[in-house]
Amino acid sequence: MDAADLNLLPALDALLAEGSVTRAARRLGLSASAMSRTLARLRAATGDPLLVRAGRGLVPTPRAVALRDRVHALNREVQEVLRPPDDRLELATLDRTFTIRANEGFVRLFSAPLVAAVTKAAPRARLRFVPKPAKDAGPLREGAVDIEIGVLGNFAPEVRTCLLFRDRFLAVVRAGHPLLSMPVTPERYAGAGHVVVSRKGDSAGPVDEALAALGLRRDIVAVVPGFPDAVRIARHSDLVALIPRSCLGDASLMDGCASFELPVETPEIVVSAMWHPRMEADLAHRWLRDTILSICRSPPL
């Protein structure tokens, strides 16, 4: 079956509305001869004369009368589909659920101010936070997740990104820990017992590389999946936890603990927002990205 020529739709709408080849041509900015040729094509496509001579003018056939309102509505709908979207976003009536995939640390620190900012501006919008067991672009590609928060790493090349904030690692121990009695040297730091965070169960990281360059090695006693777990263990033991500085903003998490700068240099942590390019021009999605950026650029540290 041959595809319909949608270029004929505006002409059919104009002809049925005007009942005149000349007026329809003027309406569309065409010559009368060009509109006459288009009417011939419409007659062939519909199998109906559509407009027939009656004295000096033209009158519509019964098929044309039956089609007039349908064609007008259809033409208007097609024009809406093919027109660029309205650049206005009505937040007061925005009824939408956004899914954000992030680790536990981000949720603990930023979810409360983010929810407050979103619901204040868009009372009918909803946020759904889901865990991030691994770095996988599948949920973004499939549309199951609107925005992912985390460290880029080797992520999908087509994914759009925006830097949210830069972080760095600190050491956390219980209040009164022996390490706090004097300056922490690489030797004293490496000589303590450690609890580290890894979703995959790995124990080595940038700190170990820096210590190895000095001929030192940490004694890793425990590996846990999240930073809050590491801090809780450090609070009730002599183990040293390694956490991002942003976690210090969680007062309840840090209760009974103290932090100090690492005695070795480690790369900074670059935290970004990630989204699929199909959402790039979506006004509501763009607003959410801007809101997340605003919250993260003013963290409660």
Side-chain angles (χ1 to χ4, degrees), residues 217-231:
R217 181 179 179 182
R218 287 192 297 175
D219 178 18
I220 297 175
V221 177
V223 180
V224 293
F227 293 113
D229 304 310
V231 173

Side-chain angles (χ1 to χ4, degrees), residues 65-263:
V65 172
L67 288 177
R68 183 184 293 138
D69 291 342
R70 287 178 57 195
V71 167
H72 180 66
L74 183 58
N75 183 48
R76 184 171 56 187
E77 185 173 352
V78 169
Q79 297 303 318
E80 287 294 327
V81 169
L82 298 180
R83 183 179 297 123
D86 193 340
D87 59 359
R88 294 172 298 177
L89 177 63
E90 299 295 338
L91 291 175
T93 58
L94 178 64
D95 188 355
R96 184 162 164 181
T97 297
F98 297 98
T99 300
I100 301 173
R101 191 166 83 148
N103 60 33
E104 184 181 4
F106 180 90
V107 174
R108 286 179 65 98
L109 187 61
F110 294 105
S111 61
L114 180 56
V115 169
V118 166
T119 54
K120 180 180 180 180
R124 299 174 64 183
R126 298 163 297 278
L127 295 183
R128 175 174 171 260
F129 294 92
V130 296
K132 182 178 176 180
K135 292 181 181 180
D136 175 18
L140 285 178
R141 287 170 170 164
E142 297 161 7
V145 169
D146 291 289
I147 293 181
E148 175 149 348
I149 309 295
V151 178
L152 292 178
N154 295 320
F155 215 65
E158 79 273 19
V159 167
R160 302 287 191 268
T161 66
C162 174
L163 171 66
L164 295 180
F165 60 93
R166 299 178 186 275
D167 212 342
R168 70 178 190 274
F169 281 115
L170 296 175
V172 169
V173 295
R174 64 173 176 82
H177 192 283
L179 277 177
L180 301 175
S181 61
M182 53 190 303
V184 180
T185 63
E187 290 77 15
R188 294 188 69 224
Y189 175 77
H194 295 261
V195 52
V196 300
V197 176
S198 174
R199 290 192 301 265
K200 298 180 180 179
D202 301 328
S203 58
V207 173
D208 300 282
E209 296 174 5
L211 289 172
L214 300 175
L216 301 171
R217 181 179 179 182
R218 287 192 297 175
D219 178 18
I220 297 175
V221 177
V223 180
V224 293
F227 293 113
D229 304 310
V231 173
R232 282 190 289 267
I233 291 174
R235 183 185 299 118
H236 298 290
S237 70
D238 280 342
L239 298 184
V240 181
L242 188 69
I243 68 168
R245 183 177 181 274
S246 56
C247 289
L248 298 184
D250 188 338
S252 62
L253 176 65
M254 297 303 298
D255 184 45
C257 293
S259 64
F260 59 86
E261 298 286 344
L262 295 176

Side-chain angles (χ1 to χ4, degrees), residues 16 43 46-53 58-68:
L16 297 183
R43 286 167 171 166
T46 62
D48 188 89
L50 297 174
L51 296 173
V52 296
R53 180 67 57 184
L58 297 174
V59 294
T61 65
R63 176 79 188 283
V65 172
L67 288 177
R68 183 184 293 138

